[in-house]
Amino acid sequence: MWLPDRRSVIAVLSITALGACGFKPIYGDGAPAAGFGGVFAVEPGQGRAAYEFRNRLLDRLGGEDGSPSYALAFDLALERTEINLERGGDLARHRLTGIVTFDIRDESDETVHQGSVRSRATYDTTGDTYAARVLAKDAEARLARTLADLVVNRIELTYGMWSG
């Protein structure tokens, strides 16, 4: 008696279900998010974290060309929390929470999309002040890049709804 391979049946059913529910890939021929290069002008922010955030956005969105169709403005807020104390009363761990609110405007300066994303990064501290400062800056840069990736993901998922 012939029995089909269970994995093959599951794969075929999964692909059929994705097509039936209206699933479309973000990238590819005719996809809404294909070819972001030069579409967005990202306004600069204040501070090191905003610099890291903006650079990651430009890397992911394809940079800025001569005449972008949309301007992306953002506000990046960081909050540092002490989450662990050692027996001697020294801090051993910090949590850095970042929130980005962003606003995308078209050429007529009308807001076409806005949103916010949130993420966290943690880092340990040591007795050495210099090492603790380096770890804090690294956590801040990691968090800024993560927040930028979240904003780009949100843009990729919604671009077809608000782009002209």
Side-chain angles (χ1 to χ4, degrees):
M1 178 180 234
W2 179 77
L3 292 174
D5 181 23
R6 194 173 2 159
R7 290 178 297 217
S8 300
V9 171
I10 291 172
V12 168
L13 290 175
S14 298
I15 291 171
T16 305
L18 282 175
C21 75
F23 172 79
K24 292 191 300 187
I26 291 176
Y27 297 107
D29 295 336
F36 273 147
V39 173
F40 292 94
V42 181
E43 296 177 6
Q46 296 286 332
R48 181 179 173 84
Y51 174 80
E52 292 282 347
F53 177 82
R54 182 176 186 271
N55 282 347
R56 180 65 170 197
L57 277 179
L58 292 174
D59 287 346
R60 293 280 314 273
L61 293 174
E64 296 178 358
D65 284 343
S67 59
S69 304
Y70 300 99
L72 190 150
F74 65 91
D75 182 34
L76 172 63
L78 300 178
E79 179 182 319
R80 201 171 313 273
T81 308
E82 303 160 352
I83 59 175
N84 192 14
L85 290 174
E86 291 180 341
R87 287 186 184 223
D90 294 332
L91 289 172
R93 196 150 182 84
H94 296 269
R95 177 183 15 213
L96 194 59
T97 304
I99 301 171
V100 171
T101 55
F102 63 95
D103 184 54
I104 299 174
R105 296 181 313 277
D106 63 8
E107 293 169 334
S108 65
D109 207 30
E110 182 179 329
T111 298
V112 293
H113 184 67
Q114 57 189 2
S116 67
V117 295
R118 170 188 213 113
S119 189
R120 292 186 190 137
T122 59
Y123 63 96
D124 293 328
T125 57
T126 63
D128 185 9
T129 306
Y130 176 75
R133 208 174 295 159
V134 169
L135 290 170
K137 284 184 179 182
D138 178 62
E140 192 175 286
R142 282 186 289 118
L143 180 59
R145 289 190 300 269
T146 300
L147 289 167
D149 289 342
L150 291 171
V151 169
V152 171
N153 289 348
R154 182 80 52 90
I155 290 170
E156 289 171 342
L157 291 172
T158 61
Y159 185 72
M161 293 181 235
W162 50 264
S163 65

